[in-house]
Amino acid sequence: MSKRKTFVIDTSVLLYDKTSIHSFPGNDVVLPLKVLDELDNFKDRPNLLGESARYINRYLDKLRESGTLCSGVKIDEIDQTIRVEIGAISNLTIPLGMDIESADNLIIGAALSLKKTSKQPVIVISKDINLRVKCDAVGLQAEDYYKDHILSENFETYNGQINIDLTDEQLAQFFDDGQIKWDKELFENQFVVGKSTSGSSLIGIYESGIIRRIDSPEKKLSSMIGLTPQSKEQTFALELLTNLDIPLVSITGLAGSGKTFLTVMAALAGLQNKTYERIIITRSIQPVGKDLGFLPGDIQEKMGPWLSPIIDNVRHAFKDTSYFNMMIQRGDIEIAPLTYIRGRTFNNSFVIVDEAQNATIHELKTIITRVGKGSKIALLGDTGQIDTPYIDSRSNGLTLTTEKFKHHELAGHIKLLRGQRSELATVASNIL
């Protein structure tokens, strides 16, 4: 039987995942009083941080009906206790040289006091890397919050395609019938590059036991969009972006590989041929460190700095942005900041989530669950360029969504392997 532990939960964990307070069955959860002060600063926010803060506050208030938070309330269903620690803060001993006004240091001090009196291991749980480092420096055990984290040491990012060996007979059947049966397990909507012993090859997509030929994606684009894929991966991406049976698409790749360009062109083509009624463009603005209120103007002007990559791709394709701006004014293209997207429903829409690697799994869940009938959502990002401090290549929302959906027929993924922006951009992405 594992030994019971005391987990001191940092504010960053509670704000990241409101259900984290229920995630330590068979153990004791301690919330330093300073954590409640920090939660109070977020409760009025309209975004996920505000939702999490309000949820934790209400849950703690509900627990008061079953006992006192000072002495601890036991949740019998999961054999977990939750306690707000006051004594540890009033009697804490912060190591010399640490700022006694710092919220992080107060939490560390509370954990140190608990460690002195507790008969069981005391572990600080935090999404804040610096706080974990400081805990280690003063002799405290500290860990990341691993509920939304890929733990496998041998984890390799899913790239959406696979190479297989085929017989000449299978290859001939594929070209005659447009498909072949495949009894070996692959992921749904995984792209296949098949080679025969004679050296001939094919590309296709796996769908429920069948490898199907990919139709030319250019045929699905409108006459306005003159677009030719520059690699087989771009062909695969366009197949996902134009396939109406795959509503969730994720595309990753290094800078300049064409993620945004291909997606914007496919979305504009869908608008042109009446497949979709509007295009929704969204992204997380949290990594920049400023809320929308810091910038002047209406919502389009506030989002302007974050939409520059979209505008650049439109300018590259059409040498002009006036038509794009007119579609925004007309409502055909809508800018929807992720911060204010809760409660909405997007029907018959093409939803583009740019820089999705900077979103948490909870933020992406919020946007994906907004997608209604007749809509497609494309998650774009480079998991090698994560700007959000509390997530990494194994815990960001884009990676987790791709992994969780790779078995599902409603989703498809492809990683673009080559840069198309310029030779310099590609070399720089690989060597710098």
Side-chain angles (χ1 to χ4, degrees):
M1 181 179 294
S2 60
K3 188 176 181 181
R4 195 175 184 90
K5 301 178 181 68
T6 296
F7 290 104
V8 179
I9 311 300
D10 178 34
T11 316
S12 62
V13 175
L14 299 174
L15 292 176
Y16 170 79
D17 178 12
K18 65 183 182 181
T19 67
S20 60
I21 199 168
H22 314 298
S23 301
F24 301 90
N27 295 288
D28 301 318
V29 169
V30 172
L31 305 179
L33 192 61
K34 189 61 183 177
V35 168
L36 300 188
D37 288 339
E38 290 192 309
L39 287 174
D40 199 51
N41 295 329
F42 289 90
K43 67 182 182 183
D44 294 328
R45 296 198 182 187
N47 54 18
L48 284 176
L49 298 180
E51 178 186 348
S52 295
R54 292 189 294 273
Y55 176 86
I56 298 297
N57 284 335
R58 290 166 182 159
Y59 179 71
L60 293 176
D61 188 46
K62 183 71 174 177
L63 284 183
R64 293 171 56 242
E65 299 176 4
S66 304
T68 63
L69 292 171
C70 179
S71 58
V73 179
K74 185 175 182 182
I75 298 90
D76 292 325
E77 305 85 65
I78 56 175
D79 187 26
Q80 176 182 300
T81 65
I82 296 178
R83 178 162 58 93
V84 174
E85 187 57 62
I86 301 173
I89 292 180
S90 62
N91 298 313
L92 60 84
T93 302
I94 296 180
L96 186 65
M98 297 180 71
D99 182 4
I100 62 173
E101 301 297 328
S102 165
D104 284 356
N105 293 346
L106 288 171
I107 294 169
I108 289 174
L112 284 171
S113 294
L114 282 170
K115 184 180 178 182
K116 290 179 181 179
T117 59
S118 178
K119 296 180 179 179
Q120 56 194 48
V122 175
I123 304 171
V124 176
I125 304 297
S126 177
K127 298 295 294 179
D128 187 335
I129 296 174
N130 192 55
L131 178 58
R132 298 200 301 268
V133 171
K134 285 173 30 174
C135 284
D136 190 78
V138 298
L140 278 171
Q141 185 177 350
E143 296 179 0
D144 195 355
Y145 177 62
Y146 288 118
K147 183 178 178 181
D148 299 320
H149 202 287
I150 298 171
L151 298 176
S152 173
E153 292 294 330
N154 300 319
F155 170 71
E156 292 185 7
T157 305
Y158 176 56
N159 66 11
Q161 63 175 302
I162 189 172
N163 296 321
I164 63 173
D165 294 322
L166 297 170
T167 64
D168 289 333
E169 290 75 16
Q170 287 174 313
L171 206 69
Q173 182 186 355
F174 180 83
F175 287 117
D176 288 342
D177 302 337
Q179 64 181 37
I180 56 172
K181 291 184 179 180
W182 189 254
D183 55 6
K184 296 180 182 178
E185 186 177 358
L186 299 177
F187 297 117
E188 284 296 320
N189 299 319
Q190 185 173 21
F191 292 99
V192 173
V193 178
K195 293 185 178 181
S196 71
T197 53
S198 64
S200 300
S201 62
L202 63 81
I203 59 173
I205 184 171
Y206 177 81
E207 298 172 337
S208 302
I210 299 291
I211 297 177
R212 174 181 62 79
R213 180 165 50 207
I214 298 174
D215 295 327
S216 173
E218 296 97 316
K219 295 179 181 179
K220 300 179 182 180
L221 301 174
S222 69
S223 58
M224 181 189 78
I225 310 296
L227 182 60
T228 302
Q230 300 301 305
S231 65
K232 70 177 185 300
E233 286 79 22
Q234 287 200 353
T235 298
F236 296 157
L238 284 173
E239 168 65 22
L240 294 177
L241 292 167
T242 56
N243 190 328
L244 301 182
D245 295 325
I246 305 176
L248 174 60
V249 175
S250 57
I251 304 176
T252 59
L254 50 77
S257 56
K259 304 181 296 294
T260 305
F261 180 74
L262 295 172
T263 304
V264 170
M265 293 304 103
L268 289 173
L271 205 61
Q272 275 265 310
N273 59 30
K274 309 297 183 183
T275 302
Y276 307 104
E277 296 176 358
R278 57 179 174 163
I279 300 171
I280 309 295
I281 301 173
T282 186
R283 64 179 292 174
S284 172
I285 61 173
Q286 293 297 327
V288 183
K290 295 182 179 180
D291 203 348
L292 289 175
F294 284 86
L295 297 174
D298 59 21
I299 198 70
Q300 280 78 23
E301 293 173 310
K302 289 174 184 283
M303 286 293 289
W306 291 276
L307 289 177
S308 296
I310 305 289
I311 302 298
D312 289 344
N313 279 284
V314 171
R315 183 179 288 109
H316 173 74
F318 304 111
K319 313 304 178 187
D320 181 61
T321 61
S322 56
Y323 184 58
F324 184 81
N325 293 330
M326 183 181 70
M327 287 192 290
I328 292 178
Q329 295 297 323
R330 204 166 55 199
D332 294 337
I333 298 176
E334 180 183 345
I335 313 304
L338 189 57
T339 308
Y340 303 101
I341 215 164
R342 285 186 63 216
R344 303 193 60 186
T345 300
F346 301 125
N347 291 318
N348 304 313
S349 303
F350 196 118
V351 183
I352 302 173
V353 185
D354 201 19
E355 301 293 344
Q357 81 280 359
N358 285 325
T360 68
I361 185 65
H362 308 287
E363 288 174 319
L364 289 189
K365 178 181 178 181
T366 298
I367 177 71
I368 294 171
T369 54
R370 302 300 99 207
V371 175
K373 294 180 179 179
S375 293
K376 180 185 287 287
I377 180 169
L379 310 178
L380 315 178
D382 178 1
T383 55
Q385 295 184 346
I386 297 174
D387 303 311
T388 307
Y390 294 155
I391 56 178
D392 57 28
S393 60
R394 294 191 178 198
S395 62
N396 70 88
L398 181 55
T399 296
L400 291 170
T401 300
T402 300
E403 287 298 308
K404 290 176 181 291
F405 271 95
K406 66 184 180 182
H407 297 278
H408 207 287
E409 61 185 11
L410 295 178
H413 171 75
I414 189 64
K415 179 179 181 180
L416 304 182
L417 303 178
R418 294 197 324 225
Q420 304 295 336
R421 183 173 292 158
S422 68
E423 183 179 357
L424 173 61
T426 302
V427 172
S429 294
N430 290 324
I431 71 174
L432 294 181

